[in-house]
Amino acid sequence: MADLLDDLNLTSEEQMFREEVREFLAENMTDELRRASHFTMWALSEFEYGKRWQKILHQRGWGAVHWPKEYGGAGWTRMQKMIWHIECIQAETPSVMSMGRDLCAPCIMKFGTEEQKAFFLPRILSGEDWWAQGFSEPGVGSDLRALQMRAESDGDEFVLNGSKIWTSFADHANRIFCLVRSGSGPKKHDGISFLLVDMDSPGIEVHPITTIAGDPEFCQVFFNDVRVSKSRLLGKENEGWDVVRHLLAYEHGGGGGRSVSLFGRYNWLREVATLESDGAGGRLIDDVDFGRQLAEMRIELEAVSFASDELSKRARAGEPPSRVSELLAIRSRLVSQKMTELAMRAVGRYGIPLQQGARKVIPEVDPIGPEHVLKPMPFYLGQRAGTIAGGTDEIHHNNVARHVLGL
Amino acid sequence: MDFVLTDEQKMFGESLNKFFQSEYAFADRQETIQAGNGFSPELWRSLADLGVLALPFDPAYGGFGGTAVDNYIAFEAMGRALAAEPALSTLVLAGTLLNQASNQAQKEELIPAIVAGELIVGVGFYEPQGRFNLNNCATTAVKSQGHYLISGTKSVVYAADTADKFVISARTTGDPLHEEGISLFFVDADAYGLTRKSYPTVDGFMASELYFDEVCVPTTSLTGEVDKGLPLIEEAVDAAIVASCAEAVGNMSALIERTLEHCKTREAFGQPISSFQVIQHRLVDMTVACEHAAAITMRAAKLFDSGENERSAAAAAAKVQVNKEAEFVGPNAVQLHGAMGMTEELDVGHYFKRLVVLGSSFGDTHYSVRRYMNKAGL
């Protein structure tokens, strides 16, 4: 397997840091946490285990490694963060519900009042607060500026009416950051405000949405005359779009380690094919046709991986982020979906039983067929969102046409 | 596409489509599935009244003597409606065996009961270690004093939880991979030593693992000649391939209809997304795919009564092509519906899942390409 980190000529301090990280992960990653990560069908692992992991990270002082040190961040260099990120992928750490830590917190740091910073940031770090992201709305889709949810000003409060959809794990959240329409102006994004809302406010209702993979990862959140104090505005009234811009830079950032997770997925696919029979007494992995498909997959992966690694190295050398990354993401999303399809086909008829209970971290029932058949089908179904969430594939094509090809 | 069909066949198709449209709403389907029975007894009775359950059987036993083309029509309609009923196993798999292999006593006992909607038959040809290989049969049937003792496992048997009877393959002679030496048996669902482990499936059906532990059946439960079961199984599976490909065509037509409607009404950036050329072309390609899936399947239906090899080659070809077309149409229907397409709420995801499951039923693309090469002599 390609090892990006070995490629990067780490200094001896960086090597030592890497050892420290590995030791920490080896000591703290349990089978349950690994299982929670393994059975993550879309973006987030079973909530309880993400929560448990966040607690472990916090105890070590690594609860929010990207934050500045003054707020409790690790104070690491860019390279250290990259090492951390890659080692975490390799150790299969659970995907924590991170909208508070990774999206809301950076905005609070930049736009928040001193009170807001002092109140919210420590709670995010410790895992006391869990934030949902209230951006998308029914019928609105990829164009955020078309949002409809109203916030009427009433003295020193706002009154909220409307609904937010695709809010991951809102049923586990105690707070939600929302984009609301509080005014209007010549531009579509004028009059949008960014609000920090408590989930236990009267008038909020949460309806979980089950995905085709069978997991209740998303919710729709309804707001019916919900009153929020104006002290919960982040940034200025009607100027929430500035906050959004800052946030989106974080949401679409990252990218380093993409090839590591793709290779991780490839290795899993190989393992499935190793455990699967070819129907004639042999192993599927030894089947000539399947082997050929696997090899072609591997070649696609090498292209994706090399391209993405070159880009992260250039970024590391201080080059500004490139629009080409969006172009590369079009392909890497596709390759990543293709691998789930191949794995799903690899398990053949044993992809057919619905096995939600058997793939829980604490299984509720025995699996039908061998253990390795549990993941491929729901993973294939869940990962269809890869070309929808965060802007559809079609939108990304438009962007590349405009910004890369100049059309 | 309009195929060359008799007036009778056209009317049959139209009346079925009308029936499902008025009597089988998506919400009813989901309710039936939630109830966990695996099928809807009311709908099954209606299918009996409509004559669907009589379709493939010999008129001498109350059937209509329908052809593979008639099956195509019925299953396309069921696919369009996303009917989660045990039709494929009872009518097509078991039906073919009853027609081709069973003796008069078995026919008299079973066909009228099926036609009346009183008998559901589960079919166990596949085993955990066998993937799609029909001759990978490790289940054994050992003859002893006027009985057979059956032991082994059958995997992912649809409708097994509600079935009154099973027909299964078991080895009477030879090694587990031999083509010779496989025989077919009817087994009562409540036979001593037979246990079922039932579960819901991804596409909204119920299926089971069947465990046979020295299940004792009389020699009269043998159907077809002893040791000569494989060609019969292949014929039954070919019939199921044609019917299930027709069902997939129905699934795809329904998906395209819904996606078209969605794209015309869903707005982005101030206009319906159907006004974007990339969406228009995608919808055209989906339609092209569906038409060719229909064509290759109807071809297999019309070639069904040709020689064995020609029949199997045509069925394998349909399987390969329909899988390919479905892999384009299904994911794109979800994609164009956006996040809503990813939810259990909308029927789109359920059609998609049925297509995905059909792609791993009766052979995946891989297996079917090889089967095609073998049967077509390539």
Side-chain angles (χ1 to χ4, degrees):
Chain A
M1 179 172 141
D3 194 328
L4 178 59
L5 290 175
D6 287 342
D7 247 27
L8 284 173
N9 300 319
L10 301 183
T11 63
S12 59
E13 286 92 44
E14 286 165 348
Q15 260 324 337
M16 270 169 59
F17 173 74
R18 187 184 186 184
E19 287 312 312
E20 188 189 349
V21 166
R22 286 188 160 177
E23 220 168 274
F24 167 78
L25 291 171
E27 265 170 34
N28 290 283
M29 275 299 294
T30 60
D31 287 346
E32 283 187 354
L33 291 170
R34 209 166 288 112
R35 190 174 158 91
S37 166
H38 181 73
F39 287 117
T40 302
M41 294 311 166
W42 170 233
L44 302 177
S45 307
E46 255 185 77
F47 178 71
E48 282 312 313
Y49 299 90
K51 192 173 164 180
R52 194 180 289 180
W53 184 237
Q54 178 63 25
K55 204 168 169 186
I56 293 170
L57 294 177
H58 178 55
Q59 276 164 1
R60 175 65 187 248
W62 294 350
V65 300
H66 291 82
W67 289 12
K69 213 164 171 147
E70 52 176 309
Y71 297 117
W76 288 345
T77 63
R78 198 192 170 97
M79 194 61 212
Q80 282 178 309
K81 286 181 214 165
M82 187 155 165
I83 292 170
W84 167 250
H85 182 55
I86 288 171
E87 289 300 339
C88 283
I89 294 174
Q90 280 174 349
E92 294 183 80
T93 59
S95 301
V96 178
M97 178 183 180
S98 60
M99 290 78 78
R101 186 188 70 195
D102 297 345
L103 299 178
C104 192
C107 295
I108 292 176
M109 290 171 202
K110 188 168 166 70
F111 295 93
T113 62
E114 289 313 312
E115 289 78 26
Q116 286 173 338
K117 288 182 200 171
F119 182 73
F120 289 121
L121 295 177
R123 285 177 157 74
I124 293 174
L125 201 58
S126 66
E128 191 181 337
D129 275 7
W130 294 95
W131 285 84
Q133 179 181 11
F135 276 21
S136 297
E137 295 184 9
V140 173
S142 297
D143 183 13
L144 259 187
R145 295 165 305 168
L147 66 95
Q148 304 284 330
M149 184 163 139
R150 302 285 316 166
E152 302 289 346
S153 181
D154 183 18
D156 53 8
E157 289 184 325
F158 286 113
V159 182
L160 310 188
N161 278 291
S163 95
K164 292 293 179 183
I165 198 164
W166 319 125
T167 48
S168 306
F169 278 8
D171 47 347
H172 296 294
N174 60 331
R175 306 198 198 267
I176 181 168
F177 53 98
C178 288
L179 288 183
V180 294
R181 194 157 283 291
S182 50
S184 59
K187 291 210 176 120
K188 240 168 130 185
H189 62 246
D190 291 335
I192 289 175
S193 294
F194 196 111
L195 283 180
L196 308 173
V197 184
D198 294 339
M199 285 297 287
D200 61 3
S201 312
I204 291 186
E205 235 179 82
V206 181
H207 292 195
I209 298 172
T210 305
T211 69
I212 53 175
D215 299 311
E217 190 162 338
F218 304 115
C219 295
Q220 185 166 4
V221 184
F222 296 89
F223 297 79
N224 191 7
D225 286 333
V226 175
R227 305 190 78 87
V228 182
S229 158
K230 283 192 179 168
S231 67
R232 290 300 192 83
L233 259 173
L234 189 62
K236 294 195 186 120
E237 186 170 346
N238 295 336
E239 290 178 21
W241 196 250
D242 293 342
V243 186
V244 174
R245 255 195 219 119
H246 186 67
L247 180 144
L248 291 179
Y250 280 87
E251 187 170 54
H252 297 307
R258 178 178 291 142
S259 62
V260 181
S261 55
L262 282 175
F263 273 106
R265 191 172 292 192
Y266 174 81
N267 287 337
W268 162 72
L269 167 62
R270 266 193 74 91
E271 193 189 315
V272 169
T274 309
L275 295 168
E276 192 55 50
S277 89
D278 67 351
R283 304 183 308 171
L284 186 62
I285 190 96
D286 300 324
D287 179 278
V288 180
D289 290 341
F290 192 86
R292 188 198 174 110
Q293 267 185 303
L294 211 51
E296 285 183 34
M297 196 74 253
R298 171 79 187 217
I299 291 164
E300 287 216 48
L301 200 52
E302 296 290 358
V304 163
S305 154
F306 191 80
S308 134
D309 290 352
E310 286 292 297
L311 211 64
S312 8
K313 282 183 208 166
R314 273 161 48 188
R316 194 184 167 234
E319 278 188 45
S322 161
R323 278 283 183 180
V324 176
S325 72
E326 191 167 8
L327 180 151
L328 297 183
I330 287 178
R331 175 59 64 83
S332 71
R333 273 191 288 262
L334 216 64
V335 169
S336 143
Q337 280 185 340
K338 251 197 211 166
M339 283 193 277
T340 67
E341 184 172 351
L342 210 51
M344 181 270 287
R345 290 299 171 210
V347 295
R349 302 173 72 251
Y350 272 126
I352 298 175
L354 187 65
Q355 310 220 44
Q356 272 149 294
R359 61 183 162 83
K360 286 263 159 59
V361 173
I362 309 287
E364 292 160 358
V365 289
D366 291 336
I368 304 296
E371 180 81 13
H372 75 267
V373 306
L374 289 178
K375 180 169 175 178
M377 177 63 86
F379 196 47
Y380 167 74
L381 295 171
Q383 292 295 315
R384 302 310 314 170
T387 45
I388 298 172
T392 62
D393 192 48
E394 289 77 13
I395 297 277
H396 290 299
H397 276 78
N398 287 347
N399 292 345
V400 170
R402 194 164 307 133
H403 302 299
V404 180
L405 303 184
L407 297 173
Chain B
M1 188 189 285
D2 283 334
F3 293 111
V4 182
L5 298 173
T6 64
D7 289 343
E8 233 181 341
Q9 286 172 329
K10 281 183 200 158
M11 268 171 50
F12 177 56
E14 280 164 22
S15 68
L16 275 181
N17 282 327
K18 245 182 240 159
F19 165 77
F20 282 117
Q21 261 169 22
S22 62
E23 304 295 321
Y24 192 67
F26 174 65
D28 300 335
R29 175 192 193 262
Q30 294 312 98
E31 218 169 274
T32 303
I33 290 168
Q34 290 303 324
N37 301 325
F39 80 116
S40 151
E42 298 84 56
L43 183 66
W44 196 245
R45 219 168 298 125
S46 304
L47 291 178
D49 295 342
L50 285 163
V52 174
L53 304 189
L55 197 59
F57 295 107
D58 187 339
Y61 303 96
F64 286 163
T67 62
V69 173
D70 297 310
N71 272 352
Y72 177 104
I73 295 167
F75 278 86
E76 195 208 19
M78 287 194 265
R80 221 179 263 274
L82 200 60
E85 298 296 304
L88 213 44
S89 52
T90 302
L91 301 184
V92 184
L93 287 167
T96 305
L97 294 180
L98 275 165
N99 284 336
Q100 301 302 326
S102 296
N103 58 41
Q104 199 180 336
Q106 288 165 335
K107 288 181 181 179
E108 278 170 359
E109 182 197 344
L110 302 178
I111 295 176
I114 292 175
V115 170
E118 288 156 5
L119 178 70
I120 289 173
V121 185
V123 179
F125 291 158
Y126 296 100
E127 300 192 356
Q129 79 291 348
R131 219 173 158 75
F132 301 107
N133 255 359
L134 294 163
N135 54 301
N136 190 332
C137 180
T139 299
T140 54
V142 181
K143 197 168 182 179
S144 91
Q145 302 167 351
H147 292 91
Y148 280 98
L149 287 177
I150 300 176
S151 293
T153 304
K154 296 291 172 183
S155 66
V156 199
V157 180
Y158 268 59
D161 62 319
T162 40
D164 312 288
K165 237 181 213 319
F166 295 109
V167 56
I168 61 142
S169 54
R171 190 160 286 288
T172 30
T173 52
D175 294 332
L177 286 169
H178 272 186
E179 298 195 352
E180 287 273 314
I182 296 170
S183 307
L184 291 159
F185 295 91
F186 282 106
V187 183
D188 286 335
D190 58 6
Y192 183 76
L194 167 58
T195 30
R196 317 177 231 200
K197 189 171 179 187
S198 301
Y199 45 84
T201 62
V202 166
D203 51 343
F205 288 73
M206 290 293 288
S208 312
E209 304 296 283
L210 299 183
Y211 305 101
F212 294 83
D213 182 12
E214 298 201 324
V215 174
C216 180
V217 296
T219 46
T220 51
S221 61
L222 180 78
T223 199
E225 247 182 277
V226 72
D227 288 348
K228 305 267 184 247
L230 191 60
L232 292 165
I233 295 171
E234 290 216 45
E235 184 175 351
V237 167
D238 283 341
I241 287 172
V242 174
S244 64
C245 285
E247 188 184 340
V249 170
N251 289 159
M252 285 189 253
S253 311
L255 275 177
I256 291 168
E257 218 170 82
R258 280 156 181 73
T259 309
L260 203 55
E261 197 46 44
H262 171 78
C263 293
K264 284 191 212 160
T265 48
R266 169 79 183 198
E267 291 197 359
F269 307 101
Q271 48 191 320
I273 61 173
S274 63
S275 67
F276 301 124
Q277 209 167 39
V278 66
I279 305 285
Q280 290 174 0
H281 289 189
R282 191 83 49 83
L283 286 163
V284 169
D285 284 336
M286 288 163 76
T287 309
V288 171
C290 182
E291 293 296 340
H292 288 86
I296 195 91
T297 305
M298 184 53 93
R299 173 179 178 273
K302 292 198 169 183
L303 287 173
F304 199 82
D305 296 320
S306 323
E308 255 174 58
N309 279 340
E310 203 173 347
R311 179 200 71 217
S312 291
K319 187 76 200 136
V320 170
Q321 194 66 26
V322 171
N323 276 1
K324 216 182 274 179
E325 311 293 13
E327 277 163 18
F328 181 76
V329 174
N332 271 301
V334 171
Q335 177 72 22
L336 294 184
H337 275 86
M340 273 312 289
M342 286 296 299
T343 67
E344 283 281 277
E345 229 171 289
L346 215 62
D347 56 4
V348 169
H350 298 267
Y351 278 101
F352 168 53
K353 286 195 273 188
R354 178 64 178 157
L355 278 179
V356 169
V357 165
L358 287 176
S360 290
S361 303
F362 312 115
D364 58 4
T365 302
H366 226 75
Y367 174 83
S368 306
V369 167
R370 283 191 192 168
R371 184 157 185 256
Y372 176 75
M373 290 171 77
N374 179 16
K375 299 290 181 182
L378 292 179

